[in-house]
């Protein structure tokens, strides 16, 4: 359950203590500390309506409220003793997990001086929720009356450090003890723990039912562990008390016999497929409802190692899977029924193709005899519906005794291998496995010859490894990093190009992983080359420059002054990663090549796809950025790349960028009316990016939001930090650059990163994917997603295109702006997603802070004046150009007709001293 803390501790005697706890004991950041009150329990409902009814019952129950208040008041009293102030930051509400829901509240305070983690632990633990209240008397009763040893159950489990600490309460746990007499079989005894709180008025039968509910998740997981658990028996203690003990015995029967015992061919085929995908690393399943895919859906849901995300909208579901793949680099599996359900996956498949994002499509289909004959819900050629947009496709016939299951398992291994781009070629992307099923589709017993189908799977069934494992050179070198000796030919080819540079320039493109971003920083620090950082490069939002590296943030605005281009032309360009967003960068580099200034251009990406729209790259390096940098910097000749001319060139870029940054800041401040003033689209972008908390991710919608983010998002100034620091994970759908599926992709991206995520999106794009809001509703394990919707009255990017000057206002509004004639607030209410409006900077900041503090999904609709957007952008760009020209003059860089060699010396301009003063000062020192 991703909404809980998972913990595992293996002891020297091979005993293993593990569990999944919903209860945080406390979290400390600096001197701020937060604790939680968690009490009372209900099951989750099978439907949204049933779930809501159970939540209402939980929130209104007298006994539940009393239990919650006891816990909350105790936590507040304890925090009051060790904190200077305490406040309730989250009042009583329901927190929902995979199978249960609880009452939940959060209290926060600031620790008094000299109060450390040992004091906090000793004060807060044990909590009344797990040992009773008052604590001293309750612990005495437990020691005297309980017939078993709790061991590590409910102990504090976590970490601590100088800057912070975080501990959970180890409830919902188990102790696994290997049985010595069954060492060869791997049998073990599992002692499982769960508890309930007893308060005045409690009903004994209801408490036992609650205990069963809490223990059922562990028992079910053990019972479903890939067919190796033969006997699950829960025997609760007969003694009354706060907690009870559940004991589970495990033995290992014949896994092959378990396969033969499955009720039907479809069920067996689907169970095998899901198990093999999990072994291959695919455990995230996005499932749409449908009859033909019943066996696949049930197999995914019942497997203990999978996460299942359901949705009625296949299009939204596929974009969710896309976002997940973008975030973690592993494919999600998308399960659909036959017919047009499959066709709805196409937009996300094409984005995955162009953005090189892994995805596995498992589409159920009718068998051959039911296609192209008038049978219902059957396409003529479902297995070919995506054409060349998929990396690989195959059709799996219906299961029968003459078709060995091994063939299906090896097909899945090939699919995952192709999806992840491990086979080389065009890189990662979607793969399509079309699986035919005959009735019965549900797990109804139906005789079939299972023995023939599962022949050769005895070893597979008793192991944890996939049937087929692919090993490539990339597995051991490119993906894992490389030394110079790994790529001697590569190093020998690249180094001479780099060594001749005196004005080297790095372009850090999009979709860089955190590891690759660090590699870019390492390259920049070793060479002294300036880096033009794309907003999605992980080197802008939340990043910090260093004294040894030049991370340029405002390259787009400073390159708007085209008369300065000759002074800035590089002689060698290294593009690391995908193509950058800025068109001005592409035009600038193309002009430099045409002028003969750019003599070499290298493009580095871990696949063979063409990423050079101007067709200027002389050397295309197919390797990961990290591997390339490791190979080149590991060479002894690399140290010669940093020289005085190169340092002067980098300094020029940074000083121009800083001048633009100051001009942009002053202009925004002058046109926003202070912190309480109205908002422009530029200010929204600047504030959302600068206000993104640490360890939060950002997803950007296409059209204006990502362009504004690229122009107004910046790295933190250098300051005194020697080394640069990478920033937040930032992503967007820049493959096909469509406005569709953005909400769904952002939610999937949050699931893949495991981080709270902020989405900035336009109003038209938001309306286009309104079904994506459904994926936010109470999904267990979902990190909170804050959606900032810039409502400017339609598609205002068209105001920046030539069509705006060629057609009338009515035609422009009707055919291009297409303003949504709907209430975003009402739509959010219909989806039961919190919504608020913001018209000022303070309202925007307050709305986002509120969502983040509550760890809650929500939509913040920002109202801006779309009519003045183009005009304001033009004024701001004019201010940036003026600042660029002024800075260039101060640097002594000619704005027109520059001589490149002379410009490299950056002569000091004549300055007039207006005045000077001299004063004495003294500072205290530790020693005289």
């Amino acid at each position: 359950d991703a909404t809980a803390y998972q913990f595992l501790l293996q002891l020297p005697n091979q005993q293993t203590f593990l569990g999944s706890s919903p209860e945080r004991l406390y979290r400390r950041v600096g001197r701020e500390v937060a604790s939680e009150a968690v009490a009372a329990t209900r099951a989750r409902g099978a439907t949204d309506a049933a779930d809501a009814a159970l939540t209402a019952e939980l929130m209104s129950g007298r006994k539940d409220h009393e239990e919650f208040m006891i816990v909350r008041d105790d936590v507040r009293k304890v925090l009051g003793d060790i904190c200077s102030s305490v406040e309730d930051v989250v009042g009583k509400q329901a927190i929902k997990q995979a199978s249960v829901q609880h009452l939940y509240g959060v209290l926060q305070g600031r620790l008094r001086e000299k109060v450390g983690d040992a004091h906090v632990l000793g004060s807060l633990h044990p909590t009344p929720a797990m040992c009773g209240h008052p604590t001293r008397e309750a612990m005495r009763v437990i020691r005297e009356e309980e017939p078993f040893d709790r061991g590590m159950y409910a102990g504090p489990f976590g970490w601590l450090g100088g800057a912070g600490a975080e501990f959970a309460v180890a409830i919902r746990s188990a102790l696994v003890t290997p049985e010595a007499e069954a060492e060869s079989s791997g049998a073990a005894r599992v002692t499982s723990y769960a508890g309930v709180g007893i308060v005045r008025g409690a009903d004994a039968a209801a408490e036992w039912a609650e205990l069963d509910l809490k223990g059922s998740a562990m028992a079910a997981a053990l019972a479903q562990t890939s067919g190796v658990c033969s006997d699950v028996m829960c025997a609760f203690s007969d003694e009354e008390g706060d907690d009870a003990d559940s004991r589970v015995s495990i033995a290992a029967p014949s896994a092959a016999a378990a396969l033969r015992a499955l009720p039907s061919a479809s069920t067996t085929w689907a169970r095998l497929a899901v198990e093999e995908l999990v072994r291959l690393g695919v455990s995230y399943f996005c499932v749409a409802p449908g009859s033909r895919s019943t066996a696949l859906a049930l197999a995914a849901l019942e497997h203990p190692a999978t996460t299942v995300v359901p949705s009625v909208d296949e299009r939204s579901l596929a974009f969710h899977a896309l976002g997940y793949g973008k975030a973690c680099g592993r494919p999600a599996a998308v399960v659909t029924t036959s017919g047009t359900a499959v066709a709805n996956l196409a937009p996300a498949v094409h984005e995955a193709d162009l953005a090189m994002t892994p995805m596995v499509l498992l589409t159920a289909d009718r068998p051959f005899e039911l296609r192209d004959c008038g049978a219902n819900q059957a396409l003529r050629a479902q297995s070919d519906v995506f054409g060349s947009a998929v990396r690989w496709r195959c059709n799996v016939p219906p299961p029968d005794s003459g078709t060995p299951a091994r063939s299906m398992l090896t097909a899945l291994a090939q699919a995952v291998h192709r999806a992840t781009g491990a086979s080389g070629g065009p890189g990662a992307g979607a793969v399509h496995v079309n699986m035919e099923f005959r009735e019965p589709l549900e797990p109804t017993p139906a005789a079939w010859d299972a023995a023939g189908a599962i022949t050769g799977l005895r070893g597979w069934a008793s192991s944890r490894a996939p049937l087929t494992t692919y090993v490539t050179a990339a597995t051991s070198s490119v993906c894992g990093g490389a030394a110079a000796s790994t790529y001697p030919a590569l190093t020998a080819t690249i180094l001479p190009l780099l060594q001749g540079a005196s004005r080297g320039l790095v372009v850090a493109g999009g979709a860089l992983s955190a590891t690759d971003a660090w590699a870019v920083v390492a390259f920049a620090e070793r060479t002294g080359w300036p880096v033009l950082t794309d907003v999605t490069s992980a080197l802008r939002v939340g990043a910090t420059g260093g004294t040894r590296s030049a991370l340029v943030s405002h390259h787009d605005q400073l390159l708007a002054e085209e008369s300065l281009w000759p002074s800035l032309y590089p002689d060698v360009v290294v593009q690391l990663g995908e193509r950058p967003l800025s068109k001005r960068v592409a035009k600038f580099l193309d002009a430099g090549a045409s002028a003969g200034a750019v003599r070499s251009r290298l493009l580095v990406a871990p696949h063979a796809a063409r990423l050079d729209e101007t067709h200027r790259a002389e050397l295309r390096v197919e390797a990961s950025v990290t591997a390339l940098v490791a190979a080149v910097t590991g060479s002894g000749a690399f140290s010669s790349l940093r020289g005085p001319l190169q340092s002067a060139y980098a300094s020029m870029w940074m000083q121009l960028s800083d001048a633009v940054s100051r001009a942009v800041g002053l202009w925004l401040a002058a046109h926003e009316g202070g912190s309480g003033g109205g908002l422009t689209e530029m200010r929204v972008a600047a504030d959302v990016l600068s206000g993104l908390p640490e360890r939060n991710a950002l997803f950007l919608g296409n059209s204006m939001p990502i362009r504004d983010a690229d122009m107004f998002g910046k790295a933190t100034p250098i300051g005194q930090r020697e080394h640069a620091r990478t920033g937040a994970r930032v992503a967007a759908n820049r493959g096909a650059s469509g406005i569709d599926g953005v909400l769904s992709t952002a939610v999937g991206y949050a699931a893949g990163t495991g981080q709270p995520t902020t989405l900035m999106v336009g109003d038209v794009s938001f309306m286009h994917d309104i079904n994506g809001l459904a994926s936010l509703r109470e999904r267990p394990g979902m990190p909170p997603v804050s959606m900032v919707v810039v409502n400017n009255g339609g598609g205002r990017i068209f105001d920046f295109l030539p069509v705006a000057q060629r057609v009338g206002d009515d035609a422009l509004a009707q055919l291009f702006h297409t303003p949504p004639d709907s209430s975003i607030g009402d739509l959010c209410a219909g989806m039961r997603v919190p919504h608020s409006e913001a018209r000022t900077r303070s309202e925007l900041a307050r709305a986002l802070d509120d969502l983040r503090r509550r760890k809650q999904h929500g939509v913040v609709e920002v109202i801006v004046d779309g009519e003045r957007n183009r005009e304001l952008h033009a004024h701001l760009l004019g201010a940036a150009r003026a600042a660029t020209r002024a800075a260039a003059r101060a640097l002594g860089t000619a704005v027109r007709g520059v001589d490149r060699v002379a410009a490299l010396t950056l002569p000091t301009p004549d300055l007039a001293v207006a005045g000077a003063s001299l004063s004495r000062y003294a500072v205290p020192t530790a020693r005289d």
Side-chain angles (χ1 to χ4, degrees):
D1 184 348
T3 59
Y5 289 95
Q6 275 72 54
F7 52 89
L8 184 147
L9 175 66
Q10 190 167 61
L11 304 175
N13 64 1
Q14 298 306 304
Q15 282 187 314
T16 302
F17 180 66
L18 74 164
S20 177
S21 171
E23 185 173 357
R24 171 187 286 169
L25 183 63
Y26 78 93
R27 182 187 182 205
R28 176 180 65 82
V29 179
R31 304 300 297 168
E32 298 293 325
V33 63
S35 186
E36 297 178 353
V38 179
T41 305
R42 289 293 186 280
R44 295 298 304 274
T47 65
D48 285 349
D51 198 52
L54 287 167
T55 302
E57 178 184 299
L58 177 66
M59 292 290 290
S60 60
R62 184 190 63 79
K63 180 260 184 186
D64 303 305
H65 178 73
E66 182 179 353
E67 185 178 337
F68 173 77
M69 294 299 291
I70 290 173
V71 175
R72 190 196 66 178
D73 291 348
D74 186 84
V75 173
R76 179 187 284 131
K77 179 181 181 302
V78 171
L79 288 179
D81 293 338
I82 60 177
C83 294
S84 56
S85 62
V86 179
E87 63 172 328
D88 287 21
V89 293
V90 176
K92 186 178 83 169
Q93 65 180 42
I95 180 173
K96 296 175 182 286
Q97 298 179 282
S99 58
V100 295
Q101 50 186 317
H102 305 284
L103 293 178
Y104 163 83
V106 178
L107 298 97
Q108 182 172 311
R110 184 169 183 82
L111 292 176
R112 301 181 191 276
E113 292 298 321
K114 299 183 180 180
V115 174
D117 288 303
H119 195 166
V120 178
L121 277 168
S123 300
L124 285 171
H125 188 271
T127 66
M130 69 88 182
C131 90
H133 180 79
T135 303
R136 188 179 301 275
E137 289 81 356
M139 290 180 70
R140 177 182 58 79
V141 171
I142 289 172
R143 291 192 182 102
E144 293 175 356
E145 301 296 332
E146 277 192 355
F148 54 85
D149 180 11
R150 292 195 180 196
M152 290 178 283
Y153 169 71
F157 206 103
W159 63 271
L160 56 86
E166 187 164 9
F167 282 85
V169 182
I171 57 178
R172 316 278 167 81
S173 52
L175 183 66
V176 182
T177 305
E179 294 189 342
E181 67 274 12
E183 184 176 349
S184 60
S185 67
R189 175 165 293 277
V190 178
T191 305
S192 172
Y193 300 91
V196 294
I198 309 297
V199 300
R200 182 176 48 200
D203 177 73
E207 298 300 332
W208 283 110
E210 181 179 324
L211 190 63
D212 285 341
L213 175 64
K214 291 177 177 177
S216 63
M218 181 74 73
L222 293 169
Q224 297 171 7
T225 307
S226 300
V228 300
C229 300
S230 66
D231 182 28
V232 178
M233 302 178 296
C234 299
F236 293 100
S237 167
D238 291 333
E239 301 291 333
E240 292 186 3
D242 281 334
D243 293 73
D245 172 32
S246 165
R247 301 189 180 275
V248 182
S249 298
I250 302 177
S254 166
L259 288 175
R260 287 194 295 272
L262 291 172
S264 67
S266 294
T267 299
T268 303
W269 225 238
R271 291 282 182 91
L272 291 172
V274 170
E275 173 65 25
E276 183 70 346
L277 284 171
V278 169
R279 296 185 185 196
L280 290 163
V282 181
S283 60
Y284 197 83
F285 284 74
C286 302
V287 180
S291 175
R292 191 61 52 171
S293 55
T294 296
L296 286 171
L298 290 175
L301 182 66
E302 293 169 2
H303 195 288
T306 60
T307 298
V308 174
V309 179
S311 175
V312 298
D313 183 353
E314 291 88 0
R315 182 175 162 279
S316 173
L317 197 68
F319 275 110
H320 182 101
L322 176 81
Y324 178 86
K326 280 180 181 288
C328 63
R330 298 188 304 274
V334 182
V335 177
T336 75
T337 189
S338 60
T340 57
V342 180
N344 274 284
L345 307 178
V349 170
H350 284 282
E351 174 65 26
D353 172 31
L354 297 173
M356 284 157 282
T357 303
M359 186 188 304
V360 175
L361 311 175
L362 293 178
T363 61
D365 200 358
R366 279 158 169 69
F368 170 79
E369 65 269 17
L370 294 180
R371 293 201 304 270
D372 203 15
C373 62
N376 190 40
Q377 206 171 322
L379 302 182
R380 287 191 175 89
Q382 184 170 291
S383 60
D384 295 328
V385 72
F386 302 116
S388 62
V390 292
R391 295 290 180 266
W392 188 72
R393 61 184 180 271
C394 74
N395 193 74
V396 178
D400 60 46
S401 58
T403 304
R406 302 190 311 276
S407 63
M408 184 260 291
L409 300 184
T410 59
L412 291 172
Q414 174 72 185
V416 174
H417 186 62
R418 298 288 189 99
T420 56
S423 60
V431 293
H432 184 195
V433 180
N434 193 62
M435 301 184 69
E436 300 176 8
F437 290 100
R438 291 191 175 97
E439 296 180 349
L441 305 172
E442 67 286 343
T444 299
W448 77 295
D449 183 9
I454 65 173
T455 298
L457 292 183
R458 182 179 300 274
W460 175 88
S462 59
S463 77
R464 297 293 185 193
L467 185 66
T468 304
T469 300
Y470 283 85
V471 178
T472 66
T475 305
S476 56
S477 58
V478 174
C479 293
S485 59
T486 308
Y487 297 115
L490 180 63
T491 306
T493 302
I494 293 176
L495 270 178
L497 299 177
L498 303 182
Q499 287 173 321
S502 59
R503 295 164 66 91
L505 180 68
V506 176
V507 177
L512 290 180
S513 67
T515 303
D516 286 346
W518 275 115
V520 174
V521 169
F523 184 87
E525 291 184 345
R526 293 286 301 276
T527 62
W529 291 20
V531 184
L532 308 189
T533 57
D534 188 86
V535 71
T536 62
S537 66
L539 293 170
R540 285 275 289 282
V541 183
T544 303
T547 56
R548 300 182 59 198
S549 58
L551 303 183
V552 181
S553 298
H554 288 285
H555 48 270
D556 190 83
Q557 290 103 320
L558 74 86
L559 288 176
E561 183 53 58
E562 295 188 12
S563 62
L564 192 63
W565 285 11
S567 300
L568 293 171
Y569 284 150
D571 53 6
V572 177
V573 179
V574 176
Q575 178 182 325
L576 301 174
E578 311 295 332
R579 62 181 174 86
L581 174 72
S582 172
K583 283 189 174 182
R584 288 196 183 99
V585 170
K587 289 178 61 179
F588 165 72
L589 296 178
D590 189 43
S594 297
V598 180
R599 59 175 178 79
S600 298
R601 184 169 179 179
L602 289 70
L603 199 159
V604 182
H607 48 72
R610 297 167 67 193
L611 299 173
D612 179 23
E613 60 187 291
T614 60
H615 310 289
R616 295 286 192 178
E618 290 91 359
L619 186 62
R620 174 64 170 86
V621 181
E622 187 178 349
S624 76
V625 172
T626 301
L628 182 280
V629 171
V632 174
T633 57
S635 168
F638 187 76
S639 59
S640 62
L641 295 181
R642 193 181 189 112
L645 296 181
Q646 183 65 61
S647 298
Y649 180 64
S651 177
M652 179 166 59
W653 272 101
M654 285 303 298
Q655 292 186 64
L656 292 173
S657 181
D658 289 345
V660 171
S661 179
R662 289 190 294 271
V664 168
L666 290 171
W667 190 95
L668 288 175
H671 288 75
E672 302 298 339
S675 62
L679 283 166
T680 65
E681 294 187 43
M682 299 91 81
R683 172 57 79 183
V684 173
D687 283 3
V688 168
L689 271 64
S690 64
L692 190 73
E694 286 191 19
R695 294 182 293 277
N696 279 232
L698 177 66
F699 201 90
L700 297 169
N702 285 319
S703 194
M704 289 306 299
I706 192 169
R707 286 170 171 79
D708 284 337
D710 195 49
M711 286 191 288
F712 302 109
K714 62 179 181 179
T716 302
I718 290 174
Q720 300 302 312
R721 184 184 293 273
E722 181 181 9
H723 298 286
R725 184 178 66 185
T726 59
R729 301 191 63 179
V730 183
N733 284 343
R734 295 306 295 172
S737 300
I739 66 167
D740 52 340
V742 174
L743 275 66
S744 301
T745 312
V747 176
Y749 189 74
T753 61
Q755 295 180 336
T757 298
T758 298
L759 165 67
M760 188 169 71
V761 65
D763 52 348
V764 175
S765 186
F766 178 84
M767 298 295 296
H768 203 289
D769 190 30
I770 196 68
N771 276 355
L773 287 181
S775 61
L776 289 179
R777 288 201 308 249
E778 303 166 355
R779 175 160 295 152
M782 266 301 306
V785 179
S786 305
M787 297 186 175
V788 178
V789 182
V790 183
N791 188 344
N792 59 6
R796 294 294 175 172
I797 192 172
F798 292 101
D799 292 339
F800 294 79
L801 302 180
V803 67
Q805 313 304 319
R806 297 289 184 268
V807 302
D809 291 345
D810 290 344
L812 189 65
Q814 184 176 354
L815 299 177
F816 299 97
H817 288 164
T818 58
D821 187 19
S822 300
S823 166
I824 290 177
D826 288 347
L827 289 169
C828 290
M831 291 286 190
R832 300 200 305 277
V833 173
H835 168 273
S836 61
E837 276 191 9
R839 297 176 182 270
T840 66
R841 293 183 67 192
S842 57
E843 289 175 354
L844 173 60
R846 190 161 51 247
L848 285 174
D849 287 345
D850 186 59
L851 287 175
R852 290 163 179 163
R853 178 172 55 85
R854 294 177 179 274
K855 300 179 182 177
Q856 187 178 48
H857 304 305
V859 173
V860 181
E861 180 184 359
V862 185
I863 311 298
V864 298
D865 184 0
E867 296 294 334
R868 296 191 61 207
N869 187 40
R870 184 177 183 277
E871 173 191 348
L872 293 172
H873 271 82
H875 287 171
L876 181 51
L877 193 60
R881 292 181 63 186
T884 304
R885 291 194 298 270
R889 284 193 294 270
L891 289 169
T893 303
V895 177
R896 295 184 185 278
V898 68
D899 176 77
R900 290 184 65 251
V901 177
L904 285 174
T905 63
L906 297 178
T908 303
D910 294 331
L911 299 176
V913 179
S917 64
L918 178 66
S919 60
R920 299 176 64 86
Y921 69 93
V923 293
T925 59
R927 283 183 171 180
D928 293 333

